[in-house]
Amino acid sequence: MRYSGFKVIKEALTGHKGWTPAWRDPEPQSHYDIVIIGGGGHGLATAHYLAKVYGEKKIAVLEKGWIGGGNVGRNTTIVRSNYLLDGNEPFYEMSLKLWEGLEQDLNYNAMISQRGIMNLIHSDAQRDAFVRRGNAMMLNGADAEYLDLDQIKKEYPFLNFDDARFPIKGGLAQRRGGTVRHDAVAWGYARSADSHGVDIIQNCEVTGFRIENGKCLGVETSRGYIGASKVGCAVAGSSGRLMAKANMRLPIESHVLQAFVSEGLKPVLPGVITFGAGHFYVSQSDKGGLVFGGDLDGYNSYAQRGNLPVVEDVCEGGMAIMPMIGRARLLRMWGGIMDMSMDGSPIIDQTHIDGLYFNGGWCYGGFKATPASGMVFAHLLAKDEPHETATAYRFDRFKTGHMIDEKGMGNQPNLH
Amino acid sequence: MIINHPLLGPRDSAEFVYLGDASLIERPDPAAETALADFVDYAYMRENPAGSLRELWFHEAGDRSWLVVTRNTMTHEISDVQMARDVARKIGCSK
């Protein structure tokens, strides 16, 4: 069923009796051409592009809980492509372009709002670094704009300009960045993939891989064995746990990242703002809540909840740039588990096991990458070669020294 | 989280800096034939278990000692804390 304004009016006049479920609830078949483990944003996007762009048939997405119940439902919904390095920027810019056309592609309202993102600058050295980043973005076809202090005062008059310790000197803006309704991304991809024949199988946990003579033949699940010519893993957050079942160690640690939402307020924030002297970012949802977050808790965790020292640190960051945030009451806070890779960049590659493919290591930047991640992972699964924007996301880059370390932190995952 | 320091007693984890998996104590032999592969593995690959993990914490805002903390990554419960120095000497490291 196609959604449209006409359809909404027709259903409103006829008692909403014509709506049907957005996707089927099929029983798993005994064999698929391609099985994708993980019914989150990346897994569902992969299935959508495999079916729609690459014309693959017989695809299944296996999800241990319900679709969209993992990190795609737990993030701060920001999309942007303000990266510096060649290995990253073309990929993230492709992602932003896919976001811009996503709703038409999926026939689904994902509430994509290009309200802009602005990174604050607090020192001369930081200005140099950000201007360089802006130039790198423009070289890769993205938009970037340097804002001087007067422009920022005009656009964001509520910021703390008089802070003696961290004075605001300027900002780097990407006007095409913004926010997206995160759950709708999972639902939109699921609905579209389903309409192209993909089986989305929920409550189906993968308990092991069947691997013989170095080839992956299929997966053992809580709903029985499912054979597959190719298996793609897209379970960021749980990559360590899943790949251990294939006896693989990864250049990844799992860490917890907290996020926060305030009570609903009238519109106060025009776009996404990030603090350049600490780690704090904030936007306002369409419901009015201020959505914000900061650093990782910093220790390995699969617990999906964090501790109070980071809550204090994040709130201090908010108070430092935007003192009015102190008047808002906190409504909710939660934690999500991040695949923190050794260089802060993702891995999308074949494994050493024939027929087993891996997509993970998204650190805390996975949401904005959802469409591009799906596209390039679909490309890899369909053609057995990397997409041109994802050639750097290899497993062996740590061995060969081709790390993609945006922050220059080295192999210390909790600092990326 | 409260880390029960063997010398100082219970301390807030915010006083510590986290390094990661305690297997980092066991640095490979740089003179071995397989040294390159060993160091790639040592520097970049992790077990990353969901459950009990031995990890290194540095008491930066305290006595600046390194600790080996055994902690459950599912519950954040700490079951054991030792001085990293003692752990390292037990496996034959010189320092």
Side-chain angles (χ1 to χ4, degrees):
Chain A
M1 186 204 318
R2 269 193 78 75
Y3 293 158
S4 65
F6 173 73
K7 179 82 184 158
V8 171
I9 293 165
K10 179 169 171 249
E11 289 300 325
L13 295 174
T14 54
H16 291 291
K17 295 198 177 72
W19 301 115
T20 53
W23 52 83
R24 296 165 294 132
D25 184 21
E27 284 298 313
Q29 298 174 30
S30 60
H31 189 275
Y32 289 94
D33 290 344
I34 299 175
V35 161
I36 296 156
I37 305 170
H42 291 218
L44 293 166
T46 305
H48 161 80
Y49 293 116
L50 271 172
K52 187 167 180 182
V53 178
Y54 293 96
E56 293 288 334
K57 311 276 185 239
K58 291 204 70 172
I59 304 163
V61 177
L62 310 184
E63 166 56 45
K64 74 174 174 184
W66 60 91
I67 60 165
N71 286 339
V72 75
R74 306 177 78 83
N75 59 76
T76 47
T77 77
I78 298 164
V79 298
R80 56 185 173 87
S81 68
N82 52 1
Y83 283 74
L84 171 70
L85 299 177
D86 287 342
N88 277 331
E89 181 58 20
F91 172 83
Y92 285 102
E93 178 53 22
M94 178 174 85
S95 201
L96 194 52
K97 288 202 173 81
L98 288 169
W99 282 120
E100 287 171 332
L102 188 74
E103 291 169 325
Q104 301 307 317
D105 185 25
L106 299 182
N107 177 232
Y108 202 87
N109 180 11
M111 295 167 67
I112 291 164
S113 165
Q114 292 183 290
R115 56 187 70 181
I117 178 165
M118 202 262 301
N119 309 121
L120 289 171
I121 295 168
H122 303 273
S123 70
D124 292 343
Q126 192 168 38
R127 179 186 291 118
D128 291 348
F130 277 30
V131 167
R132 179 180 174 222
R133 177 140 60 102
N135 286 334
M137 289 160 65
M138 286 190 281
L139 284 172
N140 284 292
D143 66 307
E145 184 181 339
Y146 172 73
L147 303 182
D148 63 23
L149 189 56
D150 289 338
Q151 282 169 291
I152 292 181
K153 278 187 171 158
K154 205 169 133 202
E155 288 186 42
Y156 308 89
F158 50 84
L159 292 175
N160 181 9
F161 293 96
D162 304 323
D163 189 295
R165 179 68 184 85
F166 302 118
I168 293 168
K169 300 271 195 182
L172 179 68
Q174 184 176 32
R175 305 280 185 195
R176 288 164 59 241
T179 60
V180 181
R181 175 82 176 93
H182 53 177
D183 297 314
V185 175
W187 300 332
Y189 273 123
R191 175 171 165 272
S192 174
D194 179 85
S195 74
H196 288 90
V198 173
D199 281 359
I200 297 168
I201 302 162
Q202 303 184 73
N203 299 307
C204 180
E205 181 172 3
V206 171
T207 54
F209 295 92
R210 189 173 290 181
I211 296 166
E212 283 173 19
N213 301 321
K215 177 159 176 43
C216 182
L217 304 176
V219 289
E220 307 286 350
T221 77
S222 56
R223 293 173 69 170
Y225 173 75
I226 299 173
S229 307
K230 293 177 179 178
V231 176
C233 306
V235 297
S238 295
S239 295
R241 269 193 285 194
L242 179 66
M243 301 316 279
K245 298 182 201 298
N247 291 321
M248 282 182 68
R249 298 167 81 212
L250 302 172
I252 287 172
E253 290 180 0
S254 294
H255 283 261
V256 60
L257 177 71
Q258 301 188 67
F260 309 83
V261 174
S262 79
E263 61 190 326
L265 305 171
K266 288 183 179 177
V268 288
L269 281 189
V272 185
I273 300 171
T274 74
F275 184 28
H279 195 170
F280 178 82
Y281 50 90
V282 61
S283 62
Q284 188 170 21
S285 78
D286 290 337
K287 281 194 289 186
L290 298 175
V291 184
F292 57 96
D295 265 329
L296 294 170
D297 271 45
Y299 44 81
N300 287 35
S301 175
Y302 284 96
Q304 289 194 321
R305 61 181 168 77
N307 276 306
L308 291 172
V310 168
V311 178
E312 185 179 13
D313 183 68
V314 169
C315 292
E316 282 172 357
M319 290 300 290
I321 58 162
M322 214 173 97
M324 73 172 177
I325 205 172
R327 301 297 297 274
R329 280 167 295 191
L330 202 58
L331 195 64
R332 290 181 286 132
M333 50 195 268
W334 65 94
I337 303 306
M338 314 287 125
D339 273 14
M340 296 305 297
S341 69
M342 288 289 161
D343 59 358
S345 295
I347 297 161
I348 306 170
D349 201 359
Q350 306 180 20
T351 67
H352 67 281
I353 298 163
D354 202 18
L356 184 61
Y357 301 75
F358 179 78
N359 176 336
W362 288 101
C363 299
Y364 40 83
F367 178 70
K368 76 178 87 67
T370 303
S373 168
M375 183 68 90
V376 304
F377 199 37
H379 186 99
L380 179 70
L381 282 161
K383 297 186 179 288
D384 276 316
E385 58 184 38
H387 189 273
E388 60 179 352
T389 62
T391 53
Y393 297 148
R394 300 165 61 102
F395 262 116
D396 66 1
R397 68 177 186 261
F398 303 98
K399 196 162 135 190
T400 58
H402 294 85
M403 270 77 80
I404 318 161
D405 193 345
E406 283 281 335
K407 281 180 81 180
M409 290 296 183
N411 55 345
Q412 190 58 46
N414 59 352
L415 299 182
H416 285 292
Chain B
M1 287 188 295
I2 302 290
I3 295 175
N4 198 7
H5 194 297
L7 303 177
L8 304 175
R11 311 297 305 186
D12 188 340
S13 65
E15 294 176 6
F16 293 79
V17 173
Y18 182 84
L19 183 66
D21 196 315
S23 64
L24 291 170
I25 293 177
E26 297 165 56
R27 182 182 281 265
D29 175 8
E33 293 261 320
T34 56
L36 180 60
D38 293 347
F39 269 95
V40 169
D41 195 65
Y42 169 83
Y44 296 111
M45 304 306 272
R46 298 287 184 271
E47 290 291 336
N48 196 22
S52 182
L53 174 67
R54 290 170 73 246
E55 51 197 20
L56 284 164
W57 291 74
F58 176 55
H59 198 190
E60 190 186 42
D63 70 345
R64 304 185 74 76
S65 60
W66 283 93
L67 304 182
V68 174
V69 176
T70 307
R71 192 178 56 93
N72 189 319
T73 58
M74 299 291 286
T75 63
H76 299 163
E77 184 188 7
I78 293 171
S79 54
D80 186 49
V81 184
Q82 295 182 51
M83 301 295 290
R85 184 185 54 194
D86 298 342
V87 174
R89 281 188 179 149
K90 224 174 273 173
I91 59 165
C93 299
S94 58
K95 289 182 222 169

